[in-house]
Amino acid sequence: MRKVPAIRIRQLVDAPPRAEGSFVLYWMTATRRLEWNFALDHALHLAKSLGKPLLIFEAVSVAYPWASDRHHQALLDGMGEHREALSHTSVAYYPYVERRRGSGRGLLSSLAASACFVVTDDSLVFLNGRLLQAAGRLEGVGVQAVDSCGLLPLRAAERTFTAAYHFRRFLHKSLPEHLGDAPSRAPLSQLDLLKLASLPEPILYRWSPASAAELESRYFVSTLPIDHSVAATSWVGGAAAGRAALNGFVRDRLPRYFEDRNHPDRDGASGLSPWLHYGHLSSHEVFQAVIDAEGWSPLRLSEKADGRRNGWWGMSEPAEAFLDQLITWRELGYGYSAHQPDGARYEALPEWARNTLEDHVADRREYTYSLGKFAGAETHDDLWNAAQRQLVQEGRIHNYLRMLWGKKILEWTEHPREALDVMIELNNRYAIDGRDPNSDSGIFWVMGRFDRGWPERPVFGKVRSMTSKSTRRKVDLEQYLAKWADRRPGAHAAYDPRGRP
Ligand SMILES: Cc1cc2nc3c(=O)[nH]c(=O)nc-3n(C[C@H](O)[C@H](O)[C@H](O)COP(=O)(O)OP(=O)(O)OC[C@H]3O[C@@H](n4cnc5c(N)ncnc54)[C@H](O)[C@@H]3O)c2cc1C
């Protein structure tokens, strides 16, 4: 197991390990994987050096916003996989699934009371900020949070960046010193750890762990008090499925990524964002797969830290284009959310963008739609409706169409605040990769964040606009439209604004 760089470890409760504790507790909240995980490396290192067993505690509550079969199933897929994998090791696993709101309350502090030290994930994905606060309130036990979010440690930059170009320049200067610090690929192989004999009976009795049968059954979600109107899709969560998708992408599509990624008919992008979102796949692992395919070494890095998109890595054009998304764009958003916890509020838009959008609030909109009409794909625009249907049914939208999708919501609502609410609601309810720092990056990009001013136009002001007509001209869409521009009644799921049954 590897020593974790100090810059990735944050002290939440400053206390030395408690000798009388029975185990090291790793509360897995965001980096939900058993490989390529700095927090797991750190917890294993502590357990080994203290001569204690390791207990991994992974839970899912039913009380989070947009809790639905779709989001829950993704988490349960990963937990089922962890249960099976850890049953063959000396690491103990406690998977807990709330059956009713609040039933998990008290479990973390009860486990922590028997622990000698607590490790958790340092991440700002979705509700993780609140989970970190909960970990920071634990009493009488030391707690550390470990950052596995990206290739650049969250704390390597002390500020946010207003554009990808500025962040890229920063990366060119700062990333090389961190590239050698990857988490272990297989930390659980050849483990030499004590095995936890048992957990206190009262804990197991009050908070019974999810069984293998529950975690493996796709029926289990239907028994939980969450929104069943957003169904699970055929997409499968967990590291095995994520790794298979990664290998398939690198083998078959990476060489064409530069030309094909923007064309819905060509299926040129990786499709990895949901696994990255749930922490089932690590950006370090994705990076490693790319450098293996390229036969790359850091000696090929350019010395010119000029913020340009191409040429810095010394890789092929498609590999550089892909890494620009995976590292520059993804980590721009992660860094932003780490430094701006309120970044998902309308007021967090750059001033120029807010001013120009508000200058045009009174402009005549040719069409406006309610949230329900948007959700039901009931606009006048076949292409927009097709993208919305894909979102509702498959839980994803092709990236190019996702930009158009957002730009049209901005155009077809009365006020940019309303546009923001509609985008957040639809993206986070239906997209499997939703509720992520990238959700905020994408949605706020639609409204001007990380972008520059463009020639002024009605409704958009100086914020970049997009049209369905030019999209139809620029990208291959024939098969996409044949599949998704289906106007039959019932071709899309009904929208349930209450969000829970
Ligand atoms: C309105 C809107 C909403 C969005 N909501 C989300 C969201 O909820 N979750 C999400 O992960 N992404 C979101 N994005 C960004 C982008 O659409 C997706 O990351 C991308 O389409 C995922 O597909 P992929 O994995 O095939 O990407 P690839 O092209 O294969 O890229 C590889 C990885 O790079 C990252 N990436 C790619 N494009 C972007 C981008 N523009 N910004 C930040 N990171 C990027 C993702 O982690 C992605 O998996 C949104 C964009 C817009 C315009």
Side-chain angles (χ1 to χ4, degrees), residues 257 261 269-273 276 322 325-326 329-330 399 402-403 405 427 433-436 438-439 442-443 445-446:
Y257 182 80
R261 64 179 286 259
S270 70
L272 295 178
S273 56
L276 288 165
F322 177 69
Q325 300 302 323
L326 178 77
W329 279 96
R330 180 173 177 275
N399 181 52
R402 207 170 196 174
M403 297 191 278
W405 174 88
N427 190 77
D433 65 8
R435 312 161 313 136
D436 191 84
N438 281 353
S439 320
I443 289 168
W445 172 86
V446 163

PDB file of all heavy atoms in Angstrom, residues 257 261 269-273 276 322 325-326 329-330 399 402-403 405 427 433-436 438-439 442-443 445-446, ligand 1:
ATOM      1  N   TYR A 257     -11.472   9.904 -31.225  1.00  0.00           N
ATOM      2  CA  TYR A 257     -12.171  10.816 -30.308  1.00  0.00           C
ATOM      3  C   TYR A 257     -12.213  12.247 -30.833  1.00  0.00           C
ATOM      4  O   TYR A 257     -13.243  12.920 -30.763  1.00  0.00           O
ATOM      5  CB  TYR A 257     -11.491  10.773 -28.930  1.00  0.00           C
ATOM      6  CG  TYR A 257     -12.147  11.646 -27.890  1.00  0.00           C
ATOM      7  CD1 TYR A 257     -13.285  11.233 -27.214  1.00  0.00           C
ATOM      8  CD2 TYR A 257     -11.622  12.901 -27.577  1.00  0.00           C
ATOM      9  CE1 TYR A 257     -13.885  12.030 -26.253  1.00  0.00           C
ATOM     10  CE2 TYR A 257     -12.215  13.700 -26.618  1.00  0.00           C
ATOM     11  CZ  TYR A 257     -13.345  13.257 -25.955  1.00  0.00           C
ATOM     12  OH  TYR A 257     -13.942  14.066 -25.007  1.00  0.00           O
ATOM     13  N   ARG A 261     -16.203  12.865 -31.356  1.00  0.00           N
ATOM     14  CA  ARG A 261     -16.867  13.084 -30.073  1.00  0.00           C
ATOM     15  C   ARG A 261     -18.097  13.992 -30.165  1.00  0.00           C
ATOM     16  O   ARG A 261     -19.031  13.858 -29.386  1.00  0.00           O
ATOM     17  CB  ARG A 261     -15.886  13.647 -29.033  1.00  0.00           C
ATOM     18  CG  ARG A 261     -15.327  15.015 -29.376  1.00  0.00           C
ATOM     19  CD  ARG A 261     -14.397  15.476 -28.286  1.00  0.00           C
ATOM     20  NE  ARG A 261     -15.132  15.878 -27.099  1.00  0.00           N
ATOM     21  CZ  ARG A 261     -15.377  17.147 -26.776  1.00  0.00           C
ATOM     22  NH1 ARG A 261     -14.947  18.120 -27.530  1.00  0.00           N
ATOM     23  NH2 ARG A 261     -16.053  17.435 -25.686  1.00  0.00           N
ATOM     24  N   ALA A 269     -17.637   9.495 -27.849  1.00  0.00           N
ATOM     25  CA  ALA A 269     -17.147   9.863 -26.506  1.00  0.00           C
ATOM     26  C   ALA A 269     -17.035   8.606 -25.634  1.00  0.00           C
ATOM     27  O   ALA A 269     -17.448   7.519 -26.022  1.00  0.00           O
ATOM     28  CB  ALA A 269     -18.061  10.892 -25.884  1.00  0.00           C
ATOM     29  N   SER A 270     -16.475   8.781 -24.435  1.00  0.00           N
ATOM     30  CA  SER A 270     -16.180   7.608 -23.606  1.00  0.00           C
ATOM     31  C   SER A 270     -17.401   7.073 -22.864  1.00  0.00           C
ATOM     32  O   SER A 270     -17.455   5.897 -22.526  1.00  0.00           O
ATOM     33  CB  SER A 270     -15.102   7.971 -22.582  1.00  0.00           C
ATOM     34  OG  SER A 270     -15.627   8.865 -21.613  1.00  0.00           O
ATOM     35  N   GLY A 271     -18.346   7.958 -22.541  1.00  0.00           N
ATOM     36  CA  GLY A 271     -19.492   7.525 -21.722  1.00  0.00           C
ATOM     37  C   GLY A 271     -19.108   7.219 -20.277  1.00  0.00           C
ATOM     38  O   GLY A 271     -19.863   6.583 -19.543  1.00  0.00           O
ATOM     39  N   LEU A 272     -17.954   7.697 -19.814  1.00  0.00           N
ATOM     40  CA  LEU A 272     -17.473   7.308 -18.476  1.00  0.00           C
ATOM     41  C   LEU A 272     -18.016   8.176 -17.335  1.00  0.00           C
ATOM     42  O   LEU A 272     -17.824   7.843 -16.162  1.00  0.00           O
ATOM     43  CB  LEU A 272     -15.936   7.359 -18.450  1.00  0.00           C
ATOM     44  CG  LEU A 272     -15.229   6.357 -19.366  1.00  0.00           C
ATOM     45  CD1 LEU A 272     -13.712   6.538 -19.292  1.00  0.00           C
ATOM     46  CD2 LEU A 272     -15.597   4.917 -18.979  1.00  0.00           C
ATOM     47  N   SER A 273     -18.676   9.290 -17.673  1.00  0.00           N
ATOM     48  CA  SER A 273     -19.003  10.245 -16.602  1.00  0.00           C
ATOM     49  C   SER A 273     -19.825   9.655 -15.445  1.00  0.00           C
ATOM     50  O   SER A 273     -19.581  10.021 -14.290  1.00  0.00           O
ATOM     51  CB  SER A 273     -19.693  11.491 -17.170  1.00  0.00           C
ATOM     52  OG  SER A 273     -20.836  11.129 -17.890  1.00  0.00           O
ATOM     53  N   LEU A 276     -17.413   7.899 -13.133  1.00  0.00           N
ATOM     54  CA  LEU A 276     -16.556   8.891 -12.463  1.00  0.00           C
ATOM     55  C   LEU A 276     -17.359   9.602 -11.377  1.00  0.00           C
ATOM     56  O   LEU A 276     -16.865   9.850 -10.274  1.00  0.00           O
ATOM     57  CB  LEU A 276     -16.027   9.914 -13.485  1.00  0.00           C
ATOM     58  CG  LEU A 276     -14.963   9.371 -14.457  1.00  0.00           C
ATOM     59  CD1 LEU A 276     -14.769  10.317 -15.640  1.00  0.00           C
ATOM     60  CD2 LEU A 276     -13.621   9.172 -13.728  1.00  0.00           C
ATOM     61  N   PHE A 322      -8.958  14.221 -25.408  1.00  0.00           N
ATOM     62  CA  PHE A 322      -9.675  13.510 -24.353  1.00  0.00           C
ATOM     63  C   PHE A 322      -9.188  13.956 -22.964  1.00  0.00           C
ATOM     64  O   PHE A 322      -9.989  14.246 -22.065  1.00  0.00           O
ATOM     65  CB  PHE A 322      -9.497  12.001 -24.533  1.00  0.00           C
ATOM     66  CG  PHE A 322     -10.150  11.199 -23.452  1.00  0.00           C
ATOM     67  CD1 PHE A 322     -11.539  11.145 -23.358  1.00  0.00           C
ATOM     68  CD2 PHE A 322      -9.398  10.509 -22.513  1.00  0.00           C
ATOM     69  CE1 PHE A 322     -12.155  10.415 -22.344  1.00  0.00           C
ATOM     70  CE2 PHE A 322     -10.001   9.782 -21.503  1.00  0.00           C
ATOM     71  CZ  PHE A 322     -11.387   9.732 -21.419  1.00  0.00           C
ATOM     72  N   GLN A 325     -10.630  17.115 -21.656  1.00  0.00           N
ATOM     73  CA  GLN A 325     -11.949  17.012 -21.003  1.00  0.00           C
ATOM     74  C   GLN A 325     -11.797  16.405 -19.609  1.00  0.00           C
ATOM     75  O   GLN A 325     -12.303  16.927 -18.628  1.00  0.00           O
ATOM     76  CB  GLN A 325     -12.907  16.130 -21.833  1.00  0.00           C
ATOM     77  CG  GLN A 325     -13.176  16.623 -23.222  1.00  0.00           C
ATOM     78  CD  GLN A 325     -13.765  18.017 -23.243  1.00  0.00           C
ATOM     79  OE1 GLN A 325     -14.573  18.375 -22.384  1.00  0.00           O
ATOM     80  NE2 GLN A 325     -13.349  18.828 -24.200  1.00  0.00           N
ATOM     81  N   LEU A 326     -11.082  15.278 -19.573  1.00  0.00           N
ATOM     82  CA  LEU A 326     -10.974  14.518 -18.317  1.00  0.00           C
ATOM     83  C   LEU A 326     -10.250  15.302 -17.225  1.00  0.00           C
ATOM     84  O   LEU A 326     -10.588  15.212 -16.049  1.00  0.00           O
ATOM     85  CB  LEU A 326     -10.206  13.213 -18.574  1.00  0.00           C
ATOM     86  CG  LEU A 326      -9.987  12.344 -17.337  1.00  0.00           C
ATOM     87  CD1 LEU A 326     -11.262  11.599 -16.973  1.00  0.00           C
ATOM     88  CD2 LEU A 326      -8.847  11.356 -17.533  1.00  0.00           C
ATOM     89  N   TRP A 329     -11.229  20.182 -17.979  1.00  0.00           N
ATOM     90  CA  TRP A 329     -12.621  20.580 -17.727  1.00  0.00           C
ATOM     91  C   TRP A 329     -13.180  19.958 -16.458  1.00  0.00           C
ATOM     92  O   TRP A 329     -13.836  20.623 -15.661  1.00  0.00           O
ATOM     93  CB  TRP A 329     -13.496  20.270 -18.944  1.00  0.00           C
ATOM     94  CG  TRP A 329     -13.336  21.346 -19.971  1.00  0.00           C
ATOM     95  CD1 TRP A 329     -12.509  21.324 -21.049  1.00  0.00           C
ATOM     96  CD2 TRP A 329     -13.965  22.638 -19.961  1.00  0.00           C
ATOM     97  NE1 TRP A 329     -12.597  22.516 -21.722  1.00  0.00           N
ATOM     98  CE2 TRP A 329     -13.485  23.340 -21.082  1.00  0.00           C
ATOM     99  CE3 TRP A 329     -14.886  23.263 -19.128  1.00  0.00           C
ATOM    100  CZ2 TRP A 329     -13.883  24.638 -21.392  1.00  0.00           C
ATOM    101  CZ3 TRP A 329     -15.303  24.545 -19.422  1.00  0.00           C
ATOM    102  CH2 TRP A 329     -14.801  25.227 -20.538  1.00  0.00           C
ATOM    103  N   ARG A 330     -12.883  18.678 -16.255  1.00  0.00           N
ATOM    104  CA  ARG A 330     -13.437  18.030 -15.057  1.00  0.00           C
ATOM    105  C   ARG A 330     -12.857  18.662 -13.792  1.00  0.00           C
ATOM    106  O   ARG A 330     -13.581  19.016 -12.860  1.00  0.00           O
ATOM    107  CB  ARG A 330     -13.150  16.525 -15.103  1.00  0.00           C
ATOM    108  CG  ARG A 330     -13.693  15.768 -13.907  1.00  0.00           C
ATOM    109  CD  ARG A 330     -13.546  14.262 -14.084  1.00  0.00           C
ATOM    110  NE  ARG A 330     -14.005  13.584 -12.893  1.00  0.00           N
ATOM    111  CZ  ARG A 330     -13.250  13.373 -11.821  1.00  0.00           C
ATOM    112  NH1 ARG A 330     -11.988  13.775 -11.806  1.00  0.00           N
ATOM    113  NH2 ARG A 330     -13.744  12.778 -10.756  1.00  0.00           N
ATOM    114  N   ASN A 399     -22.940  15.009 -25.298  1.00  0.00           N
ATOM    115  CA  ASN A 399     -22.389  16.277 -24.812  1.00  0.00           C
ATOM    116  C   ASN A 399     -22.737  17.474 -25.688  1.00  0.00           C
ATOM    117  O   ASN A 399     -23.115  18.532 -25.186  1.00  0.00           O
ATOM    118  CB  ASN A 399     -20.864  16.172 -24.676  1.00  0.00           C
ATOM    119  CG  ASN A 399     -20.278  17.476 -24.154  1.00  0.00           C
ATOM    120  OD1 ASN A 399     -20.752  17.983 -23.132  1.00  0.00           O
ATOM    121  ND2 ASN A 399     -19.321  18.044 -24.849  1.00  0.00           N
ATOM    122  N   ARG A 402     -26.156  18.353 -25.176  1.00  0.00           N
ATOM    123  CA  ARG A 402     -26.370  18.821 -23.801  1.00  0.00           C
ATOM    124  C   ARG A 402     -26.161  20.337 -23.745  1.00  0.00           C
ATOM    125  O   ARG A 402     -26.848  21.048 -23.026  1.00  0.00           O
ATOM    126  CB  ARG A 402     -25.380  18.112 -22.882  1.00  0.00           C
ATOM    127  CG  ARG A 402     -25.851  17.972 -21.465  1.00  0.00           C
ATOM    128  CD  ARG A 402     -24.905  17.047 -20.714  1.00  0.00           C
ATOM    129  NE  ARG A 402     -25.513  16.593 -19.490  1.00  0.00           N
ATOM    130  CZ  ARG A 402     -24.979  15.685 -18.687  1.00  0.00           C
ATOM    131  NH1 ARG A 402     -23.835  15.119 -18.992  1.00  0.00           N
ATOM    132  NH2 ARG A 402     -25.593  15.347 -17.568  1.00  0.00           N
ATOM    133  N   MET A 403     -25.201  20.816 -24.534  1.00  0.00           N
ATOM    134  CA  MET A 403     -24.963  22.263 -24.570  1.00  0.00           C
ATOM    135  C   MET A 403     -26.158  22.954 -25.214  1.00  0.00           C
ATOM    136  O   MET A 403     -26.678  23.947 -24.708  1.00  0.00           O
ATOM    137  CB  MET A 403     -23.676  22.576 -25.351  1.00  0.00           C
ATOM    138  CG  MET A 403     -22.443  21.997 -24.703  1.00  0.00           C
ATOM    139  SD  MET A 403     -20.908  22.610 -25.406  1.00  0.00           S
ATOM    140  CE  MET A 403     -20.704  21.591 -26.829  1.00  0.00           C
ATOM    141  N   TRP A 405     -29.171  21.795 -25.450  1.00  0.00           N
ATOM    142  CA  TRP A 405     -30.300  21.577 -24.521  1.00  0.00           C
ATOM    143  C   TRP A 405     -30.346  22.710 -23.486  1.00  0.00           C
ATOM    144  O   TRP A 405     -31.374  23.331 -23.252  1.00  0.00           O
ATOM    145  CB  TRP A 405     -30.085  20.206 -23.871  1.00  0.00           C
ATOM    146  CG  TRP A 405     -31.021  19.784 -22.778  1.00  0.00           C
ATOM    147  CD1 TRP A 405     -32.210  19.141 -22.925  1.00  0.00           C
ATOM    148  CD2 TRP A 405     -30.823  19.934 -21.362  1.00  0.00           C
ATOM    149  NE1 TRP A 405     -32.765  18.883 -21.692  1.00  0.00           N
ATOM    150  CE2 TRP A 405     -31.931  19.359 -20.716  1.00  0.00           C
ATOM    151  CE3 TRP A 405     -29.817  20.492 -20.574  1.00  0.00           C
ATOM    152  CZ2 TRP A 405     -32.071  19.327 -19.328  1.00  0.00           C
ATOM    153  CZ3 TRP A 405     -29.953  20.461 -19.194  1.00  0.00           C
ATOM    154  CH2 TRP A 405     -31.066  19.895 -18.584  1.00  0.00           C
ATOM    155  N   ASN A 427     -31.521  18.066 -15.057  1.00  0.00           N
ATOM    156  CA  ASN A 427     -30.219  17.389 -15.128  1.00  0.00           C
ATOM    157  C   ASN A 427     -30.032  16.464 -13.919  1.00  0.00           C
ATOM    158  O   ASN A 427     -29.657  15.302 -14.049  1.00  0.00           O
ATOM    159  CB  ASN A 427     -29.104  18.436 -15.169  1.00  0.00           C
ATOM    160  CG  ASN A 427     -27.736  17.839 -15.474  1.00  0.00           C
ATOM    161  OD1 ASN A 427     -27.432  17.516 -16.611  1.00  0.00           O
ATOM    162  ND2 ASN A 427     -26.913  17.678 -14.452  1.00  0.00           N
ATOM    163  N   ASP A 433     -25.155  10.878 -14.382  1.00  0.00           N
ATOM    164  CA  ASP A 433     -23.959  11.589 -13.899  1.00  0.00           C
ATOM    165  C   ASP A 433     -24.313  12.920 -13.236  1.00  0.00           C
ATOM    166  O   ASP A 433     -23.425  13.727 -12.945  1.00  0.00           O
ATOM    167  CB  ASP A 433     -22.948  11.796 -15.043  1.00  0.00           C
ATOM    168  CG  ASP A 433     -23.465  12.720 -16.159  1.00  0.00           C
ATOM    169  OD1 ASP A 433     -24.539  13.326 -15.991  1.00  0.00           O
ATOM    170  OD2 ASP A 433     -22.777  12.832 -17.198  1.00  0.00           O
ATOM    171  N   GLY A 434     -25.601  13.177 -13.011  1.00  0.00           N
ATOM    172  CA  GLY A 434     -26.025  14.465 -12.439  1.00  0.00           C
ATOM    173  C   GLY A 434     -25.616  14.624 -10.980  1.00  0.00           C
ATOM    174  O   GLY A 434     -25.107  13.709 -10.357  1.00  0.00           O
ATOM    175  N   ARG A 435     -25.826  15.796 -10.426  1.00  0.00           N
ATOM    176  CA  ARG A 435     -25.527  16.134  -9.028  1.00  0.00           C
ATOM    177  C   ARG A 435     -24.018  16.085  -8.778  1.00  0.00           C
ATOM    178  O   ARG A 435     -23.561  15.613  -7.744  1.00  0.00           O
ATOM    179  CB  ARG A 435     -26.292  15.196  -8.058  1.00  0.00           C
ATOM    180  CG  ARG A 435     -27.766  15.034  -8.385  1.00  0.00           C
ATOM    181  CD  ARG A 435     -28.373  13.809  -7.756  1.00  0.00           C
ATOM    182  NE  ARG A 435     -27.510  12.686  -7.991  1.00  0.00           N
ATOM    183  CZ  ARG A 435     -27.198  11.790  -7.076  1.00  0.00           C
ATOM    184  NH1 ARG A 435     -27.698  11.861  -5.880  1.00  0.00           N
ATOM    185  NH2 ARG A 435     -26.374  10.802  -7.359  1.00  0.00           N
ATOM    186  N   ASP A 436     -23.272  16.558  -9.758  1.00  0.00           N
ATOM    187  CA  ASP A 436     -21.815  16.471  -9.736  1.00  0.00           C
ATOM    188  C   ASP A 436     -21.256  17.889  -9.894  1.00  0.00           C
ATOM    189  O   ASP A 436     -21.947  18.763 -10.407  1.00  0.00           O
ATOM    190  CB  ASP A 436     -21.406  15.627 -10.971  1.00  0.00           C
ATOM    191  CG  ASP A 436     -19.966  15.201 -10.969  1.00  0.00           C
ATOM    192  OD1 ASP A 436     -19.664  14.183 -10.348  1.00  0.00           O
ATOM    193  OD2 ASP A 436     -19.137  15.893 -11.603  1.00  0.00           O
ATOM    194  N   ASN A 438     -19.398  18.685 -12.135  1.00  0.00           N
ATOM    195  CA  ASN A 438     -19.519  18.889 -13.582  1.00  0.00           C
ATOM    196  C   ASN A 438     -20.915  19.307 -13.997  1.00  0.00           C
ATOM    197  O   ASN A 438     -21.091  19.921 -15.050  1.00  0.00           O
ATOM    198  CB  ASN A 438     -19.189  17.601 -14.351  1.00  0.00           C
ATOM    199  CG  ASN A 438     -17.706  17.371 -14.464  1.00  0.00           C
ATOM    200  OD1 ASN A 438     -16.919  18.215 -14.085  1.00  0.00           O
ATOM    201  ND2 ASN A 438     -17.335  16.217 -14.986  1.00  0.00           N
ATOM    202  N   SER A 439     -21.914  18.943 -13.212  1.00  0.00           N
ATOM    203  CA  SER A 439     -23.274  19.406 -13.523  1.00  0.00           C
ATOM    204  C   SER A 439     -23.286  20.925 -13.400  1.00  0.00           C
ATOM    205  O   SER A 439     -23.804  21.624 -14.273  1.00  0.00           O
ATOM    206  CB  SER A 439     -24.298  18.832 -12.544  1.00  0.00           C
ATOM    207  OG  SER A 439     -24.037  17.499 -12.233  1.00  0.00           O
ATOM    208  N   GLY A 442     -21.306  22.551 -16.288  1.00  0.00           N
ATOM    209  CA  GLY A 442     -22.020  22.549 -17.564  1.00  0.00           C
ATOM    210  C   GLY A 442     -23.181  23.530 -17.552  1.00  0.00           C
ATOM    211  O   GLY A 442     -23.361  24.325 -18.478  1.00  0.00           O
ATOM    212  N   ILE A 443     -23.965  23.477 -16.474  1.00  0.00           N
ATOM    213  CA  ILE A 443     -25.163  24.318 -16.402  1.00  0.00           C
ATOM    214  C   ILE A 443     -24.767  25.795 -16.328  1.00  0.00           C
ATOM    215  O   ILE A 443     -25.349  26.646 -17.013  1.00  0.00           O
ATOM    216  CB  ILE A 443     -26.028  23.874 -15.199  1.00  0.00           C
ATOM    217  CG1 ILE A 443     -26.654  22.511 -15.513  1.00  0.00           C
ATOM    218  CG2 ILE A 443     -27.079  24.910 -14.851  1.00  0.00           C
ATOM    219  CD1 ILE A 443     -27.302  21.818 -14.337  1.00  0.00           C
ATOM    220  N   TRP A 445     -21.935  27.009 -17.365  1.00  0.00           N
ATOM    221  CA  TRP A 445     -21.286  27.363 -18.642  1.00  0.00           C
ATOM    222  C   TRP A 445     -22.343  27.867 -19.628  1.00  0.00           C
ATOM    223  O   TRP A 445     -22.117  28.844 -20.349  1.00  0.00           O
ATOM    224  CB  TRP A 445     -20.544  26.147 -19.222  1.00  0.00           C
ATOM    225  CG  TRP A 445     -20.035  26.416 -20.610  1.00  0.00           C
ATOM    226  CD1 TRP A 445     -18.853  27.006 -20.949  1.00  0.00           C
ATOM    227  CD2 TRP A 445     -20.719  26.151 -21.844  1.00  0.00           C
ATOM    228  NE1 TRP A 445     -18.760  27.124 -22.316  1.00  0.00           N
ATOM    229  CE2 TRP A 445     -19.888  26.609 -22.893  1.00  0.00           C
ATOM    230  CE3 TRP A 445     -21.953  25.571 -22.168  1.00  0.00           C
ATOM    231  CZ2 TRP A 445     -20.247  26.508 -24.238  1.00  0.00           C
ATOM    232  CZ3 TRP A 445     -22.310  25.471 -23.510  1.00  0.00           C
ATOM    233  CH2 TRP A 445     -21.466  25.934 -24.523  1.00  0.00           C
ATOM    234  N   VAL A 446     -23.487  27.196 -19.636  1.00  0.00           N
ATOM    235  CA  VAL A 446     -24.590  27.628 -20.507  1.00  0.00           C
ATOM    236  C   VAL A 446     -24.883  29.115 -20.262  1.00  0.00           C
ATOM    237  O   VAL A 446     -25.214  29.863 -21.176  1.00  0.00           O
ATOM    238  CB  VAL A 446     -25.854  26.769 -20.213  1.00  0.00           C
ATOM    239  CG1 VAL A 446     -27.120  27.404 -20.753  1.00  0.00           C
ATOM    240  CG2 VAL A 446     -25.663  25.356 -20.766  1.00  0.00           C
TER     241      VAL A 446
HETATM  242  C1  LIG B   1     -25.949  21.712 -19.460  1.00  0.00           C
HETATM  243  C2  LIG B   1     -24.844  20.739 -19.153  1.00  0.00           C
HETATM  244  C3  LIG B   1     -24.958  19.894 -18.071  1.00  0.00           C
HETATM  245  C4  LIG B   1     -23.925  18.979 -17.770  1.00  0.00           C
HETATM  246  N1  LIG B   1     -24.088  18.151 -16.694  1.00  0.00           N
HETATM  247  C5  LIG B   1     -23.116  17.257 -16.385  1.00  0.00           C
HETATM  248  C6  LIG B   1     -23.288  16.354 -15.298  1.00  0.00           C
HETATM  249  O1  LIG B   1     -24.319  16.376 -14.620  1.00  0.00           O
HETATM  250  N2  LIG B   1     -22.287  15.490 -15.016  1.00  0.00           N
HETATM  251  C7  LIG B   1     -21.152  15.420 -15.779  1.00  0.00           C
HETATM  252  O2  LIG B   1     -20.276  14.606 -15.483  1.00  0.00           O
HETATM  253  N3  LIG B   1     -20.961  16.275 -16.811  1.00  0.00           N
HETATM  254  C8  LIG B   1     -21.918  17.167 -17.153  1.00  0.00           C
HETATM  255  N4  LIG B   1     -21.740  18.007 -18.225  1.00  0.00           N
HETATM  256  C9  LIG B   1     -20.464  17.967 -18.958  1.00  0.00           C
HETATM  257  C10 LIG B   1     -20.418  16.959 -20.120  1.00  0.00           C
HETATM  258  O3  LIG B   1     -21.595  17.031 -20.870  1.00  0.00           O
HETATM  259  C11 LIG B   1     -20.247  15.529 -19.655  1.00  0.00           C
HETATM  260  O4  LIG B   1     -19.194  15.431 -18.729  1.00  0.00           O
HETATM  261  C12 LIG B   1     -19.916  14.578 -20.821  1.00  0.00           C
HETATM  262  O5  LIG B   1     -20.894  14.675 -21.810  1.00  0.00           O
HETATM  263  C13 LIG B   1     -19.882  13.160 -20.311  1.00  0.00           C
HETATM  264  O6  LIG B   1     -19.791  12.247 -21.360  1.00  0.00           O
HETATM  265  P1  LIG B   1     -18.503  11.360 -21.558  1.00  0.00           P
HETATM  266  O7  LIG B   1     -18.160  10.693 -20.288  1.00  0.00           O
HETATM  267  O8  LIG B   1     -18.747  10.521 -22.758  1.00  0.00           O
HETATM  268  O9  LIG B   1     -17.417  12.486 -21.884  1.00  0.00           O
HETATM  269  P2  LIG B   1     -16.015  12.405 -22.634  1.00  0.00           P
HETATM  270  O10 LIG B   1     -16.075  13.338 -23.778  1.00  0.00           O
HETATM  271  O11 LIG B   1     -15.625  11.024 -22.920  1.00  0.00           O
HETATM  272  O12 LIG B   1     -15.019  13.081 -21.574  1.00  0.00           O
HETATM  273  C14 LIG B   1     -14.341  12.314 -20.562  1.00  0.00           C
HETATM  274  C15 LIG B   1     -14.654  12.895 -19.190  1.00  0.00           C
HETATM  275  O13 LIG B   1     -14.253  14.255 -19.123  1.00  0.00           O
HETATM  276  C16 LIG B   1     -15.154  14.999 -18.321  1.00  0.00           C
HETATM  277  N5  LIG B   1     -15.813  16.018 -19.141  1.00  0.00           N
HETATM  278  C17 LIG B   1     -16.148  15.944 -20.444  1.00  0.00           C
HETATM  279  N6  LIG B   1     -16.731  17.102 -20.854  1.00  0.00           N
HETATM  280  C18 LIG B   1     -16.774  17.894 -19.774  1.00  0.00           C
HETATM  281  C19 LIG B   1     -17.257  19.211 -19.548  1.00  0.00           C
HETATM  282  N7  LIG B   1     -17.781  19.944 -20.528  1.00  0.00           N
HETATM  283  N8  LIG B   1     -17.155  19.730 -18.313  1.00  0.00           N
HETATM  284  C20 LIG B   1     -16.598  19.022 -17.311  1.00  0.00           C
HETATM  285  N9  LIG B   1     -16.109  17.774 -17.468  1.00  0.00           N
HETATM  286  C21 LIG B   1     -16.202  17.215 -18.687  1.00  0.00           C
HETATM  287  C22 LIG B   1     -16.188  14.005 -17.806  1.00  0.00           C
HETATM  288  O14 LIG B   1     -15.784  13.544 -16.544  1.00  0.00           O
HETATM  289  C23 LIG B   1     -16.132  12.910 -18.847  1.00  0.00           C
HETATM  290  O15 LIG B   1     -16.571  11.658 -18.386  1.00  0.00           O
HETATM  291  C24 LIG B   1     -22.756  18.934 -18.555  1.00  0.00           C
HETATM  292  C25 LIG B   1     -22.642  19.808 -19.653  1.00  0.00           C
HETATM  293  C26 LIG B   1     -23.669  20.687 -19.948  1.00  0.00           C
HETATM  294  C27 LIG B   1     -23.523  21.605 -21.123  1.00  0.00           C
END
